[in-house]
Amino acid sequence: MQEFKYILCIICVAMAALTAVAQEIPLIKNPQPEFMQAANQNWSVTQAPSRFIYVANTAGLVQYDGARWKLMPLPNRQIVRAIAADEKGHVFCGGFGEFGFWKADALGVMQYTSLSKGVQSGRIDTEEIWHILIAGGKVYFQSFSAMYCYDYQSVQEVLLPGNIMFMQKTGSRVLLPAIGQGVFQKLGNDSF
């Protein structure tokens, strides 16, 4: 009888340990490009308030709802290099000569709005957006030599101190590394 209690105790402890381990390890899937219906190169990822996952992909923007993948190409089929989602449900994206946002319409279908088409700079046609930062109620689209600010009303080109790397939020400050010149802090009027 003593052996039976001992074996039963070991089985219970083993089952409890297996249950605890099973709860600690999240399910990780590595989808293949053909399953995603997209290209094999992903550049950036974000999650929207809808809890959908969005992936910047060589073939366009890819939406994942937890069960299905959906490819949404940009108007001229540009590569999507950078994405960011805000709390209002906008999914901002950028690529070569193009940036804008996707937002669900009344039926839940994602619709694209180009913001770069309204930019009064001839530079946008040769720029590639590699980074998007949402800070202080504004959206910043960055290449390595240009930056565009969208305040949800209009787009303005931002004057930069030189060629730049990716602007980042740190606490309440927004910092911008300029190549060979140091790190600059963004001021309230979008100067550095």
mmCIF file of all heavy atoms in Angstrom, residues 136-159:
data_model
loop_
_atom_site.group_PDB
_atom_site.id
_atom_site.type_symbol
_atom_site.label_atom_id
_atom_site.label_comp_id
_atom_site.label_asym_id
_atom_site.label_seq_id
_atom_site.Cartn_x
_atom_site.Cartn_y
_atom_site.Cartn_z
ATOM 1 N N GLY A 136 3.513 62.019 -29.947
ATOM 2 C CA GLY A 136 2.931 63.335 -29.724
ATOM 3 C C GLY A 136 1.758 63.654 -30.636
ATOM 4 O O GLY A 136 1.575 64.803 -31.033
ATOM 5 N N GLY A 137 0.960 62.659 -30.989
ATOM 6 C CA GLY A 137 -0.200 62.888 -31.837
ATOM 7 C C GLY A 137 0.137 63.100 -33.303
ATOM 8 O O GLY A 137 -0.714 63.536 -34.080
ATOM 9 N N LYS A 138 1.370 62.782 -33.688
ATOM 10 C CA LYS A 138 1.809 62.921 -35.071
ATOM 11 C C LYS A 138 2.454 61.620 -35.539
ATOM 12 O O LYS A 138 2.887 60.805 -34.727
ATOM 13 C CB LYS A 138 2.819 64.062 -35.209
ATOM 14 C CG LYS A 138 2.244 65.417 -34.853
ATOM 15 C CD LYS A 138 3.295 66.501 -34.978
ATOM 16 C CE LYS A 138 2.709 67.848 -34.602
ATOM 17 N NZ LYS A 138 3.723 68.916 -34.695
ATOM 18 N N VAL A 139 2.507 61.462 -36.857
ATOM 19 C CA VAL A 139 3.129 60.280 -37.444
ATOM 20 C C VAL A 139 4.306 60.751 -38.290
ATOM 21 O O VAL A 139 4.148 61.633 -39.146
ATOM 22 C CB VAL A 139 2.130 59.506 -38.321
ATOM 23 C CG1 VAL A 139 2.776 58.237 -38.855
ATOM 24 C CG2 VAL A 139 0.866 59.191 -37.538
ATOM 25 N N TYR A 140 5.477 60.163 -38.058
ATOM 26 C CA TYR A 140 6.701 60.536 -38.778
ATOM 27 C C TYR A 140 7.106 59.386 -39.693
ATOM 28 O O TYR A 140 7.287 58.256 -39.235
ATOM 29 C CB TYR A 140 7.819 60.846 -37.792
ATOM 30 C CG TYR A 140 7.493 62.033 -36.912
ATOM 31 C CD1 TYR A 140 6.850 61.856 -35.694
ATOM 32 C CD2 TYR A 140 7.787 63.322 -37.328
ATOM 33 C CE1 TYR A 140 6.520 62.944 -34.899
ATOM 34 C CE2 TYR A 140 7.468 64.414 -36.534
ATOM 35 C CZ TYR A 140 6.826 64.212 -35.322
ATOM 36 O OH TYR A 140 6.492 65.295 -34.542
ATOM 37 N N PHE A 141 7.239 59.690 -40.972
ATOM 38 C CA PHE A 141 7.675 58.735 -41.984
ATOM 39 C C PHE A 141 9.114 59.093 -42.321
ATOM 40 O O PHE A 141 9.386 60.211 -42.755
ATOM 41 C CB PHE A 141 6.799 58.841 -43.239
ATOM 42 C CG PHE A 141 5.354 58.524 -42.994
ATOM 43 C CD1 PHE A 141 4.462 59.506 -42.604
ATOM 44 C CD2 PHE A 141 4.891 57.228 -43.157
ATOM 45 C CE1 PHE A 141 3.131 59.218 -42.388
ATOM 46 C CE2 PHE A 141 3.550 56.931 -42.941
ATOM 47 C CZ PHE A 141 2.670 57.927 -42.551
ATOM 48 N N GLN A 142 10.047 58.150 -42.155
ATOM 49 C CA GLN A 142 11.472 58.440 -42.324
ATOM 50 C C GLN A 142 12.128 57.613 -43.409
ATOM 51 O O GLN A 142 11.933 56.398 -43.488
ATOM 52 C CB GLN A 142 12.228 58.113 -41.035
ATOM 53 C CG GLN A 142 11.966 59.003 -39.883
ATOM 54 C CD GLN A 142 12.842 58.578 -38.733
ATOM 55 O OE1 GLN A 142 12.346 58.042 -37.757
ATOM 56 N NE2 GLN A 142 14.133 58.789 -38.850
ATOM 57 N N SER A 143 12.930 58.290 -44.231
ATOM 58 C CA SER A 143 13.938 57.617 -45.044
ATOM 59 C C SER A 143 15.251 57.943 -44.332
ATOM 60 O O SER A 143 15.237 58.403 -43.195
ATOM 61 C CB SER A 143 13.918 58.141 -46.483
ATOM 62 O OG SER A 143 14.441 59.446 -46.544
ATOM 63 N N PHE A 144 16.386 57.741 -44.985
ATOM 64 C CA PHE A 144 17.656 58.087 -44.328
ATOM 65 C C PHE A 144 18.063 59.534 -44.582
ATOM 66 O O PHE A 144 18.988 60.025 -43.955
ATOM 67 C CB PHE A 144 18.760 57.127 -44.773
ATOM 68 C CG PHE A 144 18.546 55.735 -44.247
ATOM 69 C CD1 PHE A 144 18.257 54.689 -45.099
ATOM 70 C CD2 PHE A 144 18.619 55.466 -42.888
ATOM 71 C CE1 PHE A 144 18.036 53.409 -44.620
ATOM 72 C CE2 PHE A 144 18.398 54.189 -42.395
ATOM 73 C CZ PHE A 144 18.102 53.162 -43.266
ATOM 74 N N SER A 145 17.351 60.226 -45.481
ATOM 75 C CA SER A 145 17.704 61.623 -45.750
ATOM 76 C C SER A 145 16.500 62.555 -45.735
ATOM 77 O O SER A 145 16.648 63.747 -45.975
ATOM 78 C CB SER A 145 18.408 61.727 -47.113
ATOM 79 O OG SER A 145 17.553 61.265 -48.138
ATOM 80 N N ALA A 146 15.320 62.033 -45.461
ATOM 81 C CA ALA A 146 14.122 62.875 -45.420
ATOM 82 C C ALA A 146 13.152 62.347 -44.373
ATOM 83 O O ALA A 146 13.184 61.171 -44.007
ATOM 84 C CB ALA A 146 13.441 62.895 -46.788
ATOM 85 N N MET A 147 12.311 63.274 -43.886
ATOM 86 C CA MET A 147 11.283 62.903 -42.933
ATOM 87 C C MET A 147 10.029 63.716 -43.249
ATOM 88 O O MET A 147 10.110 64.895 -43.570
ATOM 89 C CB MET A 147 11.722 63.170 -41.496
ATOM 90 C CG MET A 147 10.694 62.727 -40.470
ATOM 91 S SD MET A 147 11.095 63.149 -38.751
ATOM 92 C CE MET A 147 12.747 62.573 -38.574
ATOM 93 N N TYR A 148 8.889 63.038 -43.129
ATOM 94 C CA TYR A 148 7.608 63.680 -43.381
ATOM 95 C C TYR A 148 6.731 63.485 -42.151
ATOM 96 O O TYR A 148 6.690 62.395 -41.579
ATOM 97 C CB TYR A 148 6.937 63.072 -44.620
ATOM 98 C CG TYR A 148 7.822 63.185 -45.830
ATOM 99 C CD1 TYR A 148 8.684 62.150 -46.174
ATOM 100 C CD2 TYR A 148 7.838 64.338 -46.608
ATOM 101 C CE1 TYR A 148 9.524 62.250 -47.270
ATOM 102 C CE2 TYR A 148 8.675 64.449 -47.701
ATOM 103 C CZ TYR A 148 9.521 63.400 -48.025
ATOM 104 O OH TYR A 148 10.355 63.520 -49.105
ATOM 105 N N CYS A 149 6.048 64.561 -41.746
ATOM 106 C CA CYS A 149 5.215 64.543 -40.553
ATOM 107 C C CYS A 149 3.751 64.680 -40.953
ATOM 108 O O CYS A 149 3.374 65.608 -41.675
ATOM 109 C CB CYS A 149 5.619 65.683 -39.622
ATOM 110 S SG CYS A 149 4.552 65.832 -38.175
ATOM 111 N N TYR A 150 2.932 63.772 -40.461
ATOM 112 C CA TYR A 150 1.487 63.806 -40.693
ATOM 113 C C TYR A 150 0.809 64.076 -39.359
ATOM 114 O O TYR A 150 0.967 63.307 -38.403
ATOM 115 C CB TYR A 150 1.034 62.457 -41.271
ATOM 116 C CG TYR A 150 -0.452 62.318 -41.465
ATOM 117 C CD1 TYR A 150 -1.181 63.197 -42.250
ATOM 118 C CD2 TYR A 150 -1.132 61.262 -40.864
ATOM 119 C CE1 TYR A 150 -2.547 63.043 -42.436
ATOM 120 C CE2 TYR A 150 -2.494 61.089 -41.055
ATOM 121 C CZ TYR A 150 -3.192 61.991 -41.831
ATOM 122 O OH TYR A 150 -4.551 61.837 -42.013
ATOM 123 N N ASP A 151 0.051 65.170 -39.278
ATOM 124 C CA ASP A 151 -0.635 65.542 -38.039
ATOM 125 C C ASP A 151 -2.126 65.200 -38.084
ATOM 126 O O ASP A 151 -2.915 65.786 -37.366
ATOM 127 C CB ASP A 151 -0.427 67.018 -37.739
ATOM 128 C CG ASP A 151 -1.036 67.926 -38.802
ATOM 129 O OD1 ASP A 151 -1.660 67.438 -39.769
ATOM 130 O OD2 ASP A 151 -0.873 69.167 -38.662
ATOM 131 N N TYR A 152 -2.502 64.280 -38.945
ATOM 132 C CA TYR A 152 -3.873 63.826 -39.170
ATOM 133 C C TYR A 152 -4.699 64.864 -39.935
ATOM 134 O O TYR A 152 -5.899 64.686 -40.099
ATOM 135 C CB TYR A 152 -4.572 63.408 -37.867
ATOM 136 C CG TYR A 152 -3.993 62.149 -37.274
ATOM 137 C CD1 TYR A 152 -2.874 62.200 -36.452
ATOM 138 C CD2 TYR A 152 -4.540 60.916 -37.564
ATOM 139 C CE1 TYR A 152 -2.327 61.048 -35.912
ATOM 140 C CE2 TYR A 152 -4.010 59.750 -37.031
ATOM 141 C CZ TYR A 152 -2.894 59.830 -36.208
ATOM 142 O OH TYR A 152 -2.346 58.677 -35.686
ATOM 143 N N GLN A 153 -4.027 65.926 -40.388
ATOM 144 C CA GLN A 153 -4.664 66.927 -41.234
ATOM 145 C C GLN A 153 -3.913 67.076 -42.554
ATOM 146 O O GLN A 153 -4.499 67.070 -43.614
ATOM 147 C CB GLN A 153 -4.716 68.296 -40.533
ATOM 148 C CG GLN A 153 -5.462 68.289 -39.225
ATOM 149 C CD GLN A 153 -6.938 68.008 -39.390
ATOM 150 O OE1 GLN A 153 -7.570 68.505 -40.310
ATOM 151 N NE2 GLN A 153 -7.491 67.190 -38.513
ATOM 152 N N SER A 154 -2.591 67.234 -42.437
ATOM 153 C CA SER A 154 -1.763 67.446 -43.619
ATOM 154 C C SER A 154 -0.374 66.854 -43.394
ATOM 155 O O SER A 154 -0.026 66.478 -42.276
ATOM 156 C CB SER A 154 -1.655 68.940 -43.932
ATOM 157 O OG SER A 154 -1.007 69.613 -42.860
ATOM 158 N N VAL A 155 0.408 66.806 -44.475
ATOM 159 C CA VAL A 155 1.769 66.270 -44.430
ATOM 160 C C VAL A 155 2.745 67.403 -44.707
ATOM 161 O O VAL A 155 2.559 68.171 -45.656
ATOM 162 C CB VAL A 155 1.963 65.152 -45.485
ATOM 163 C CG1 VAL A 155 3.392 64.645 -45.471
ATOM 164 C CG2 VAL A 155 0.992 64.014 -45.245
ATOM 165 N N GLN A 156 3.766 67.488 -43.874
ATOM 166 C CA GLN A 156 4.821 68.488 -44.049
ATOM 167 C C GLN A 156 6.172 67.785 -44.043
ATOM 168 O O GLN A 156 6.371 66.833 -43.290
ATOM 169 C CB GLN A 156 4.795 69.516 -42.906
ATOM 170 C CG GLN A 156 3.494 70.257 -42.756
ATOM 171 C CD GLN A 156 3.167 71.113 -43.960
ATOM 172 O OE1 GLN A 156 4.040 71.723 -44.558
ATOM 173 N NE2 GLN A 156 1.901 71.146 -44.330
ATOM 174 N N GLU A 157 7.090 68.274 -44.868
ATOM 175 C CA GLU A 157 8.451 67.763 -44.814
ATOM 176 C C GLU A 157 9.148 68.409 -43.627
ATOM 177 O O GLU A 157 8.976 69.595 -43.361
ATOM 178 C CB GLU A 157 9.203 68.073 -46.112
ATOM 179 C CG GLU A 157 10.550 67.400 -46.176
ATOM 180 C CD GLU A 157 11.201 67.459 -47.551
ATOM 181 O OE1 GLU A 157 10.621 68.055 -48.472
ATOM 182 O OE2 GLU A 157 12.295 66.906 -47.671
ATOM 183 N N VAL A 158 9.931 67.635 -42.888
ATOM 184 C CA VAL A 158 10.622 68.106 -41.692
ATOM 185 C C VAL A 158 12.070 68.417 -42.059
ATOM 186 O O VAL A 158 12.738 67.600 -42.707
ATOM 187 C CB VAL A 158 10.573 67.044 -40.574
ATOM 188 C CG1 VAL A 158 11.367 67.489 -39.356
ATOM 189 C CG2 VAL A 158 9.130 66.725 -40.202
ATOM 190 N N LEU A 159 12.554 69.580 -41.649
ATOM 191 C CA LEU A 159 13.947 69.970 -41.877
ATOM 192 C C LEU A 159 14.844 69.156 -40.943
ATOM 193 O O LEU A 159 14.636 69.139 -39.730
ATOM 194 C CB LEU A 159 14.128 71.467 -41.622
ATOM 195 C CG LEU A 159 15.506 72.035 -41.897
ATOM 196 C CD1 LEU A 159 15.863 71.882 -43.380
ATOM 197 C CD2 LEU A 159 15.569 73.496 -41.491
#
